[in-house]
Amino acid sequence: MSSVTADHVPASQGHDDHDHMPHGWRRWLFATNHKDIGTMYLIFSFTMLLEGGVLALLLRTELFEPGLQFFQPELFNQFTTMHGLIMIFGAIMPAFVGFANWMIPMQIGASDMAFARMNNFSFWLLPIGGLLMTVSFFVPGGANAAGWTMYAPLSLQMGPGMDFTIFAVHILGASSIMGAINIIVTVLNMRAPGMTLMKMPLFCWTWLITAYLLIAIMPVLAAAVTMLLTDRHFGTSFFNAAAGGDPVLYQHVFWFFGHPEVYVMILPAFGIVSSVVPAFSRKLLFGYASMVYATAAIAILSFLVWAHHMFATGMPVTGQLYFMYATMLISIPTGVKVFNWVATMWRGALTFETPMLFAIGFIFVFTIGGFTGLIVAVAPIDIAVHDTYYIIAHFHYVMVAGSLFGMYAGAYYWMPKWTGRMYSEKLGKLHFWSSMISFNITFFPMHFLGLAGMPRRYADYAAQFTDFNQIATIGAFWFGLSQLIFLYAILRCYAGHGKPAPAKPWEGATGLEWTVPSPAPHHTFVVPPIVK
């Protein structure tokens, strides 16, 4: 088999097309092909995105006016919790694993992922976990209403829905660990001859680092929810203050997972944007090596700042100072990345196809989210705005406009490779502008709500907050409906509409495909000779 990246393989030609490949439902149930498994991850994650989105729209419906219109506070909080958990564990993380499955073997010249059957198993755990979370709404007492963080002691008082959530988190965590092991082994052991680590596309680098993060943090989450489980059912008192436990201990253990988890959800998007921006700027990525080191620095620092989520717990001032300054330090490698993306575009011959629009949109909104993160890193400010809508606005700018826009950039960029068809540029641009405008209408007013003191997770609010809440609700419905444009654009491609994709879909548009023109500088992938 030739040791080349998929950039030199026509869209119609697979890496591992076997005559004996199973057909029909068997093809999907027993899938070991990285492309099929990647497709299943992406379909599952989009389904979960729609489910989590519906829950979000139910929340916004209730918040359109002050007073209780539709849902009692208990059910409202169940929606809040499950929206968060479904979006994180069901939508964002599986989507990026789907991207990894599809693209990493092709980008490094591997025939498939390292552990094909484990790849299959790690996918099929996901629908089970997603089902458990969804079914928890229908058990006595309803779903977990303790927030996606599952804070003790509240989570110790919840009904059986909490146990469903704990079980689901265990299953989804196991899936993530297996996916991470697979990615690490694939990247370290299966690169084509001549493909050194510092010649890999940035997407492979960001996922390699993300995979190490996952292996480090998922067992910590498992420990936290297992202690929760034993406190609930087996008489232990890790977090029960009345029996000598400490609820703040739960927060420490949870956020030691929770903060690196934020970077698990954003680093792969960095990799996608680092692939898209050079292609549509017709230039090599500025500062490849510094991008790699910045990604590693972000990952390492993410382990050292967990308690900035806990400024309101009454930690000593020296502790607050440490976590404040350590948090601010992360802005340096993040700033390096933003600078490099802008420098790549600087004096480039830019064109604004849909992937580039989403990549630039990502840089813009992610930078806003980064700045508000810097603001809440200041302990006195954080204590004032903690648990208000300012925090909601901050992390949605990072997660929705960050992770989600990064995914859309990658989906439109690689869609010709995945489907063999070119998507409709009109639909893509409509999707981008509709999403970008509606997203900002939804979440920007939340900064003002938070600064004015509106707490999160409340089904009711004072009348002074009405106007901004109504603007946010209108924006949210607009944003939600905008995602159906994306669904339509994809289904058109899969149904065979649109022009057939050439072997190098963007060559006509950009002159630069997923590889770079020769002669290449030392840090870009030169195609190795064919090995018999």
Side-chain angles (χ1 to χ4, degrees):
M1 149 131 219
S2 75
S3 302
V4 295
T5 61
D7 310 311
H8 301 275
V9 180
S12 59
Q13 183 183 331
H15 273 267
D16 33 24
D17 297 325
H18 300 304
D19 295 333
H20 58 271
M21 195 170 92
H23 297 288
W25 58 270
R26 285 186 178 81
R27 171 185 169 183
W28 302 102
L29 184 62
F30 303 122
T32 51
N33 176 308
H34 71 99
K35 297 172 183 174
D36 285 351
I37 293 173
T39 301
M40 291 197 295
Y41 266 106
L42 291 167
I43 291 169
F44 171 80
S45 65
F46 195 76
T47 307
M48 288 284 105
L49 181 80
L50 295 179
E51 182 184 340
V54 168
L55 293 175
L57 294 181
L58 292 173
L59 298 176
R60 289 310 324 168
T61 304
E62 176 57 59
L63 292 170
F64 187 71
E65 287 182 339
L68 295 177
Q69 276 77 238
F70 302 102
F71 309 115
Q72 289 305 306
E74 182 73 10
L75 181 59
F76 181 89
N77 278 340
Q78 292 175 28
F79 289 159
T80 309
T81 297
M82 300 317 286
H83 164 69
L85 286 168
I86 284 167
M87 287 303 201
I88 290 167
F89 294 106
I92 296 177
M93 291 169 68
F96 280 134
V97 179
F99 276 93
N101 262 294
W102 248 105
M103 298 314 299
I104 287 176
M106 301 210 288
Q107 289 190 330
I108 63 172
S111 57
D112 206 299
M113 297 294 281
F115 304 117
R117 293 194 187 282
M118 186 167 83
N119 207 6
N120 176 289
F121 184 46
S122 70
F123 169 75
W124 284 112
L125 286 178
L126 289 177
I128 297 168
L131 200 62
L132 275 170
M133 278 192 186
T134 307
V135 164
S136 68
F137 277 109
F138 305 103
V139 300
N144 159 24
W148 82 273
T149 54
M150 301 171 275
Y151 271 3
L154 183 58
S155 52
L156 302 179
Q157 320 302 325
M158 292 287 148
M162 187 74 214
D163 300 316
F164 276 70
T165 302
I166 290 170
F167 192 27
V169 164
H170 269 301
I171 289 172
L172 297 170
S175 167
S176 292
I177 289 171
M178 284 191 280
I181 291 170
N182 218 341
I183 287 165
I184 289 172
V185 176
T186 303
V187 170
L188 294 186
N189 286 352
M190 297 181 67
R191 298 189 309 281
M195 169 68 86
T196 63
L197 284 173
M198 292 305 278
K199 289 177 183 173
M200 287 197 305
L202 241 286
F203 180 67
C204 301
W205 258 116
T206 51
W207 244 117
L208 178 65
I209 291 166
T210 301
Y212 277 111
L213 278 182
L214 278 170
I215 286 174
I217 64 173
M218 277 302 168
V220 178
L221 176 65
V225 296
T226 301
M227 289 192 279
L228 210 55
L229 192 71
T230 58
D231 271 16
R232 282 169 58 80
H233 296 294
F234 300 107
T236 58
S237 51
F238 294 109
F239 310 130
N240 181 1
D246 184 2
V248 178
L249 171 65
Y250 177 85
Q251 295 193 29
H252 276 292
V253 178
F254 179 87
W255 285 114
F256 193 78
F257 148 81
H259 194 74
E261 165 67 13
V262 174
Y263 292 95
V264 165
M265 293 189 283
I266 201 70
L267 290 183
F270 287 171
I272 291 170
V273 170
S274 300
S275 302
V276 172
V277 168
F280 295 93
S281 303
R282 295 168 182 74
K283 282 174 67 187
L284 298 175
L285 181 70
F286 180 91
Y288 173 95
S290 65
M291 287 296 241
V292 173
Y293 298 136
T295 308
I298 289 169
I300 292 162
L301 289 170
S302 74
F303 283 103
L304 306 177
V305 298
W306 75 91
H308 69 209
H309 296 269
M310 300 167 54
F311 283 144
T313 56
M315 70 170 76
V317 172
T318 46
Q320 290 186 2
L321 279 172
Y322 163 72
F323 283 105
M324 184 166 102
Y325 291 133
T327 302
M328 289 177 175
L329 205 57
I330 291 192
S331 65
I332 296 171
T334 309
V336 166
K337 298 185 89 66
V338 174
F339 176 85
N340 284 3
W341 290 323
V342 175
T344 304
M345 289 187 276
W346 178 253
R347 301 189 70 179
L350 274 68
T351 50
F352 299 100
E353 285 85 3
T354 307
M356 186 62 159
L357 288 176
F358 270 108
I360 295 171
F362 167 92
I363 295 167
F364 169 66
V365 281
F366 173 76
T367 303
I368 294 175
F371 275 127
T372 54
L374 209 50
I375 290 164
V376 294
V378 181
I381 298 177
D382 182 80
I383 289 166
V385 299
H386 188 80
D387 260 343
T388 70
Y389 267 74
Y390 193 88
I391 304 297
I392 301 271
H394 156 64
F395 72 72
H396 280 85
Y397 264 83
V398 177
M399 293 289 92
V400 182
S403 300
L404 193 66
F405 278 21
M407 283 180 216
Y408 285 144
Y412 282 111
Y413 184 50
W414 287 317
M415 192 146 1
K417 209 66 153 174
W418 297 347
T419 65
R421 296 276 166 177
M422 298 301 289
Y423 65 86
S424 162
E425 197 63 62
K426 278 184 183 172
L427 282 176
K429 286 181 175 166
L430 178 66
H431 176 219
F432 168 75
W433 286 111
S434 188
S435 296
M436 180 58 123
I437 296 166
S438 58
F439 169 80
N440 282 286
I441 289 173
T442 306
F443 291 103
F444 206 80
M446 293 184 189
H447 293 106
F448 307 135
L449 287 170
L451 291 172
M454 182 176 164
R456 63 198 268 204
R457 294 181 183 157
Y458 276 51
D460 192 6
Y461 55 84
Q464 74 221 42
F465 301 128
T466 306
D467 291 350
F468 280 137
N469 269 301
Q470 291 188 338
I471 292 168
T473 297
I474 291 164
F477 274 89
W478 180 4
F479 184 78
L481 292 170
S482 301
Q483 307 324 303
L484 300 178
I485 302 170
F486 174 71
L487 181 61
Y488 178 61
I490 289 190
L491 292 176
R492 281 185 86 253
C493 286
Y494 270 101
H497 298 295
K499 289 182 295 187
K504 296 186 175 185
W506 300 113
E507 193 168 40
T510 65
L512 182 65
E513 183 45 17
W514 291 306
T515 53
V516 297
S518 58
H522 66 91
H523 60 253
T524 52
F525 177 33
V526 182
V527 184
I530 289 177
V531 178
K532 296 294 183 193

